[in-house]
């Protein structure tokens, strides 16, 4: 009989305890706390998916909110009730009579984000380092300008409101698990190894036969897919979506999570996402009772500085905690 | 390493201790959702101060239904996501009504959640006239709608300034400024005027020489220029138009209700400017004087802008409705709010008699001549 390796038991324990947590949370917590947990989940998806692009392959991308926006708007247009479409939007005929269930709409949103990543990846990924960061920043601005001015479909700066509140904790939980699973599988496959190799030394990686350009495009598109999904979940949690939400500030938030967690570490991205999306909420009662708003932000910045001083490689570095990895590696 | 963990533990413990709610036993809670940090804070922070001041004054006078009124300020960080969680937080705390925001975008993220729970939401400063229709019957507005302020200044342009050929400048980056221009142009054409030139700029622009050149060369020559802008561009546009030697009247909406209109160009150049705004600035009704005095006493500075007065009014409006309903139940409170008639607010009388849900409120037309503000007239909507 083959013994199940210890680390796989741990995976099972985590997935199960997550499910138990979701079940208990849904029956005990009020909507405010539930919505915070939902946002934490969405940030986990964002950080872990950016980690594929930014952490594994070392492509410093600031375009993540752009992909989120594409996914979010796409999903919102698809799920928007037909009656409301007539009132608010001017869509082409076939689209105005279409209202899809949540799952297909989410998947289409994710795929659209991913396709966009392919299209922009081909020219942009010929750039390196700072140049790539600036190019992806440009992409983010193009997306924002487009949705701000494409009023017949996006309602411009006012955004789309009154979306059905479809996102709940089970949806978020399922996508967190899927994101983690895919990301984990990639990291410990030969494909993931070649991604890490590209990050460390592109020339050496190319010498051992890694297809540099293709791997880069795939890692961008894969990150974009999950960003698109996160955008869809986000829109149906807030029930409103505006271009201003997908700003450079959000891009920095997600990049900070990846850097603090440790570039390339999935557990790190996970922990940092939880940390940075709850800390400002934790300090809310203090802000409200002292009338000193903004303490949470200051503390967050302080923690960021401390971590970068004492652990410049992030909380976990590129590694994962030992008990979660197979012994042979 | 060890020291770092101590800091982390300490802050965690601190957070948990302070999370424990320190609430008075028997208060009527109102959720004040405002962007106290971030880009909107110059508008929203004074509004919350106004709201808290009103609650304090009401409590000093004996409270409502024998209980104290408490405005819980929730900072939503000029972020739509925070607006949605803030609304959920307020609802989870059991507020009887929500109030907040000087901008439509954030109202649309928060108010539908109140609507769904059957708790009234009163916006102190968002002016989009379609808001009550978009959100539903638990949505109330303290200010007038953008259509009213545009109509007021359009009628003043044609009837009092005698300008029938007008140029329109629009800040193309904001929904508010776009709506303002749309309604202005509509009323000018209805009154038999013509728009001889339309020009655009973006929020943050510093140089308007291209627009001014086009304004100078427009044929036929415009007799007035409508500048749809927010405070930052208000002072700059006046300054640059006047410096270019153009003397035609400059007209606008409540985006011009700021000291910047006189301080940026200086008293000499700040001349022949007219704008429509909330009936508050340079007004000497007793409500206004009492409000300014109370605000100065509480915060040691005069009210920053009209939004402080609007926040003050939002709490007053809700308190008045609670008294008339003799209840804090959502449905009863909504009905009482909807039945509001002739409520004497600092920013003018409020009545909800229109089917659109936008209050019937006076609009001040203020002139600026050689750096001096003066109320020229108060305009009332006809229906």
């Amino acid at each position: 009989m083959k013994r199940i390796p210890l680390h796989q038991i741990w995976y099972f324990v985590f997935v199960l305890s997550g499910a138990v947590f979701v079940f208990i949370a849904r029956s005990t917590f009020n909507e405010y706390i539930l919505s915070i947990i939902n946002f934490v989940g969405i940030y986990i998806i964002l950080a872990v998916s950016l980690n594929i692009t930014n952490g594994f392959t070392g492509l410093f991308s600031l375009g993540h909110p752009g992909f989120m926006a594409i996914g979010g708007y796409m999903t919102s247009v698809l799920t928007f009730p037909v009656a409301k479409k007539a009132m608010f939007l001017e869509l082409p005929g076939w689209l105005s009579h279409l209202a899809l269930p949540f799952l297909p709409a989410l998947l289409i949103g994710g795929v659209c984000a991913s396709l966009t990543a392919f299209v922009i990846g081909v020219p942009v990924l010929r750039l390196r380092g700072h140049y790539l960061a600036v190019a992806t920043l440009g992409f983010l601005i193009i997306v924002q300008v487009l949705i701000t001015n494409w009023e017949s479909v996006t309602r411009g700066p006012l955004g789309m409101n009154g979306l059905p509140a479809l996102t709940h904790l089970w949806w978020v939980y399922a996508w967190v698990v899927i994101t983690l699973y895919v990301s984990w599988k990639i990291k410990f496959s030969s494909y993931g190894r070649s991604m890490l190799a590209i990050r460390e030394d592109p020339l050496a990686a190319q010498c051992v036969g890694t297809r540099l350009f293709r791997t880069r495009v795939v890692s961008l598109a894969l990150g974009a897919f999950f960003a698109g999904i996160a955008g869809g979940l986000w829109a149906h949690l807030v029930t409103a979506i505006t271009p201003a939400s997908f700003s450079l500030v959000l891009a920095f938030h997600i990049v900070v999570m990846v850097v603090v967690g440790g570039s390339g570490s999935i557990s790190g991205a996970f922990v940092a996402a939880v940390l940075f999306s709850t800390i400002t909420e934790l300090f809310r009662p203090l802000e409200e009772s002292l009338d000193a708003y903004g303490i949470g932000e200051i503390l967050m910045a302080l923690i960021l500085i401390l971590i970068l001083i004492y652990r410049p490689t992030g909380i976990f570095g590129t590694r994962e905690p030992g008990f979660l990895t197979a012994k042979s590696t | 390493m060890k020291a770092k963990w101590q800091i982390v533990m300490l802050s965690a413990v601190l957070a948990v201790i302070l999370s424990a709610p320190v609430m008075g036993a028997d208060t009527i809670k109102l959720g004040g959702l405002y962007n106290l940090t971030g880009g909107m804070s110059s508008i929203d922070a004074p509004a919350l101060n106004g709201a808290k001041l009103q609650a304090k004054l009401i409590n000093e006078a004996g409270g409502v239904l024998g209980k104290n009124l408490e405005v819980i300020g929730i900072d939503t960080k000029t972020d739509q996501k925070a607006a949605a969680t803030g609304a959920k937080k307020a609802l989870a705390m059991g507020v009887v009504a929500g109030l907040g925001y000087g901008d439509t975008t954030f109202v649309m993220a928060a108010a539908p959640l109140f609507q769904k729970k059957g708790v009234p939401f009163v916006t102190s400063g968002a002016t989009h006239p379609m808001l009550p229709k978009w959100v539903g019957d638990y949505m109330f507005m303290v200010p007038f709608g953008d259509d009213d302020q545009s109509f007021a200044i359009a009628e003043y342009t044609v009837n009092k300034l005698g300008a029938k050929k007008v140029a329109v400048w629009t800040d193309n980056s904001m929904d508010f400024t776009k709506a303002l221009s749309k309604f202005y142009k509509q009323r000018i054409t209805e009154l038999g005027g013509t728009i001889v030139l339309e020009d655009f700029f973006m929020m943050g622009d510093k140089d308007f020489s291209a627009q001014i050149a086009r304004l100078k060369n427009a044929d036929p020559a415009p007799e007035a220029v409508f500048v749809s802008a927010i405070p930052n561009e208000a002072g700059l546009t006046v300054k640059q138009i006047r410096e270019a030697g153009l003397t035609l009247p400059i007209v606008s909406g409540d985006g011009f209700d700021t000291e910047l209109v006189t301080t940026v160009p200086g008293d000499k150049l700040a001349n022949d400017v007219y704008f429509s705004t909330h009936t508050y600035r340079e007004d000497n009704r007793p409500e206004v004087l009492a409000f300014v005095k109370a605000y100065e006493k509480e915060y040691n500075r005069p009210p920053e802008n009209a939004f402080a007065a609007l926040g003050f009014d939002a709490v007053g409006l809700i308190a008045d409705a609670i008294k008339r309903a003799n209840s804090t139940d959502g449905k009863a409170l909504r009905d009482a709010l909807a039945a509001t008639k002739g409520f004497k607010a600092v920013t003018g009388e409020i009545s909800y008699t229109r089917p659109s849900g936008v209050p019937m409120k006076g609009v001040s037309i203020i002139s600026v001549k050689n750096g001096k503000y003066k109320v020229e007239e108060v305009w009332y909507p006809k229906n």
Side-chain angles (χ1 to χ4, degrees):
Chain A
M1 201 184 98
K2 203 179 130 208
R3 266 188 70 214
I4 304 168
L6 191 63
H7 66 276
Q8 286 187 4
I9 297 174
W10 274 111
Y11 300 160
F12 186 69
V13 168
F14 275 124
V15 171
L16 198 70
S17 55
V20 171
F21 171 73
V22 170
F23 183 77
I24 295 171
R26 274 174 64 84
S27 53
T28 50
F29 294 142
N30 65 37
E31 273 194 42
Y32 165 57
I33 296 178
L34 279 180
S35 76
I36 292 176
I37 300 172
N38 275 314
F39 279 120
V40 171
I42 291 173
Y43 272 116
I44 292 171
I45 299 175
L46 287 170
V48 170
S49 64
L50 183 65
N51 191 38
I52 299 175
T53 314
N54 208 332
F56 292 177
T57 323
L59 304 169
F60 195 86
S61 165
L62 291 171
H64 224 50
F67 297 121
M68 235 183 119
I70 292 170
Y73 270 96
M74 195 70 209
T75 314
S76 307
V77 169
L78 289 174
T79 59
F80 213 44
V82 174
K84 279 194 183 167
K85 271 184 182 162
M87 194 165 132
F88 289 123
L89 305 173
E90 301 150 38
L91 295 169
W94 60 274
L95 202 55
S96 64
H97 298 295
L98 187 75
L100 289 180
F102 198 29
L103 184 63
L106 266 181
L107 288 173
I108 294 173
V111 168
C112 282
S114 202
L115 286 176
T116 317
F118 270 112
V119 174
I120 68 143
V122 172
V124 160
L125 290 178
R126 294 177 193 281
L127 304 168
R128 304 285 141 78
H130 300 70
Y131 304 103
L132 176 65
V134 173
T136 51
L137 177 63
F139 162 70
L140 176 57
I141 292 169
I142 291 171
V143 170
Q144 268 199 318
V145 170
L146 186 73
I147 48 184
T148 308
N149 290 292
W150 195 4
E151 289 190 13
S152 60
V153 177
T154 63
R155 292 191 76 217
L158 197 57
M160 292 171 66
N161 313 113
L163 304 171
L166 296 169
T167 303
H168 56 67
L169 212 47
W170 284 117
W171 280 107
V172 175
Y173 175 70
W175 279 107
V176 167
V177 171
I178 293 170
T179 315
L180 286 171
Y181 176 79
V182 170
S183 166
W184 201 275
K185 275 289 176 195
I186 290 173
K187 185 171 180 181
F188 295 102
S189 70
S190 65
Y191 206 71
R193 294 301 182 200
S194 54
M195 284 179 173
L196 290 169
I198 290 172
R199 185 187 78 180
E200 294 304 327
D201 191 336
L203 191 62
Q206 208 166 16
C207 288
V208 293
T210 308
R211 295 168 87 165
L212 213 54
F213 190 64
R214 203 186 66 179
T215 313
R216 278 189 169 133
V217 174
V218 167
S219 84
L220 184 73
L222 209 61
F225 174 77
F226 288 109
I229 298 284
L233 292 170
W234 198 97
H236 290 85
L237 181 61
V238 181
T239 70
I241 181 168
T242 52
S245 306
F246 305 102
S247 60
L248 187 59
V249 180
L250 182 62
F252 274 116
H253 270 291
I254 310 168
V255 170
V256 161
M257 288 171 189
V258 173
V259 171
V260 165
S263 284
S265 169
I266 298 163
S267 331
F270 183 96
V271 171
V274 175
L275 187 71
F276 280 90
S277 46
T278 48
I279 205 153
T280 51
E281 292 297 329
L282 273 178
F283 279 91
R284 252 171 197 287
L286 179 67
E287 291 181 351
E288 277 153 28
S289 56
L290 289 184
D291 248 354
Y293 296 95
I295 292 181
E297 273 77 12
I298 295 172
L299 260 144
M300 189 167 130
L302 196 69
I303 292 173
L304 177 63
I305 293 168
L306 286 175
I307 289 177
L308 289 182
I309 290 174
Y310 292 103
R311 286 202 83 119
T313 53
I315 303 173
F316 286 88
T318 305
R319 288 164 298 123
E320 309 295 342
F323 68 93
L324 284 177
T325 47
K327 285 286 164 288
S328 56
T329 51
Chain B
M1 264 328 285
K2 207 176 166 203
K4 198 188 86 192
W5 280 111
Q6 278 172 351
I7 294 169
V8 172
M9 287 309 288
L10 193 71
S11 39
V13 170
L14 200 69
V16 171
I17 291 170
L18 290 158
S19 306
V22 251
M23 293 291 157
D26 219 16
T27 57
I28 296 176
K29 285 182 225 153
L30 304 178
L33 296 165
Y34 285 102
N35 297 309
L36 304 172
T37 51
M40 290 292 295
S41 60
S42 66
I43 283 174
D44 276 4
L48 180 63
N49 286 341
K52 287 197 160 163
L53 174 65
Q54 175 72 287
K56 195 179 162 208
L57 294 182
I58 290 173
N59 293 341
E60 280 171 4
V64 186
L65 306 185
K67 292 179 188 170
N68 273 349
L69 214 53
E70 186 190 2
V71 177
I72 303 163
I74 296 174
D75 175 21
T76 57
K77 306 167 200 288
T78 315
D79 173 12
Q80 254 202 335
K81 167 193 145 246
T85 33
K88 282 180 184 162
K89 178 173 185 190
L91 288 166
M93 288 168 107
V95 298
V96 303
L99 63 133
Y101 297 127
D103 188 79
T104 310
T105 312
F106 299 96
V107 175
M108 285 310 292
L113 300 165
F114 282 82
Q115 170 78 26
K116 220 166 110 193
K117 281 263 144 62
V119 177
F121 188 87
V122 178
T123 176
S124 57
T127 47
H128 204 293
M130 292 295 281
L131 261 180
K133 210 162 243 151
W134 286 341
V135 176
D137 54 348
Y138 281 76
M139 173 82 223
F140 295 91
M141 288 167 70
V142 175
F144 48 62
D146 287 332
D147 47 352
D148 283 341
Q149 60 165 324
S150 279
F151 293 164
I153 192 70
E155 287 177 10
Y156 192 82
T157 312
V158 174
N159 298 338
K160 297 287 162 60
L161 298 176
K164 283 211 154 184
K165 294 193 259 309
V166 294
V168 174
W169 286 14
T170 309
D171 178 345
N172 223 1
S173 64
M174 287 186 74
D175 214 62
F176 156 67
T177 47
K178 280 182 176 176
L180 216 56
S181 289
K182 187 185 122 203
F183 293 121
Y184 182 78
K185 287 184 287 186
Q186 179 193 331
R187 185 49 62 95
I188 289 284
T189 341
E190 280 168 10
L191 293 170
T194 43
I195 313 296
V196 295
L197 172 74
E198 262 202 78
D199 224 326
F200 302 96
F201 57 94
M202 295 299 257
M203 183 169 40
D205 282 1
K206 297 274 175 275
D207 178 18
F208 299 90
S209 52
Q211 286 91 338
I212 289 170
R214 283 193 285 273
L215 190 62
K216 266 186 173 168
N217 296 325
D219 182 47
E223 293 158 337
V225 56
F226 178 75
V227 181
S228 185
I230 57 165
N232 277 340
E233 282 75 34
L236 279 176
T237 48
V238 171
K239 180 172 190 239
Q240 295 187 15
I241 290 173
R242 290 288 178 254
E243 277 177 352
L246 290 166
T247 53
L248 79 173
I250 300 168
V251 294
S252 186
D254 72 341
F256 266 47
D257 190 352
T258 160
E259 299 300 326
L260 294 172
V261 170
T262 51
T263 52
V264 172
D267 286 352
K268 263 223 184 79
L269 294 178
N271 195 23
D272 236 0
V273 179
Y274 304 85
F275 59 88
S276 57
T277 188
H278 313 272
T279 47
Y280 163 68
R281 183 186 279 275
E282 300 296 315
D283 206 314
N284 46 18
R285 281 174 294 123
E287 297 96 37
V288 179
L289 299 178
F291 164 71
V292 173
K293 210 175 137 202
Y295 197 94
E296 276 173 353
K297 193 176 153 225
E298 178 77 13
Y299 300 108
N300 294 320
R301 57 175 186 268
E304 288 87 344
N305 47 37
F307 292 98
L310 287 164
F312 186 83
D313 286 347
V315 173
L317 194 68
I318 297 169
D320 174 65
I322 294 175
K323 272 184 211 155
R324 278 185 289 114
N326 199 21
S327 153
T328 53
D329 167 64
K331 176 83 174 61
L333 187 53
R334 188 220 87 86
D335 291 344
L337 271 169
T340 302
K341 230 179 169 170
F343 173 73
K344 284 213 184 317
V346 174
T347 55
E349 273 194 12
I350 296 173
S351 300
Y352 294 111
T353 49
R354 287 166 156 173
S356 67
V358 182
M360 296 277 275
K361 257 180 120 176
V363 181
S364 280
I365 305 287
I366 293 182
S367 66
V368 184
K369 284 181 177 146
N370 293 319
K372 296 274 178 298
Y373 296 88
K374 184 173 165 253
V375 180
E376 290 291 330
E377 63 171 44
V378 178
W379 178 93
Y380 288 96
K382 293 186 182 57
N383 49 39

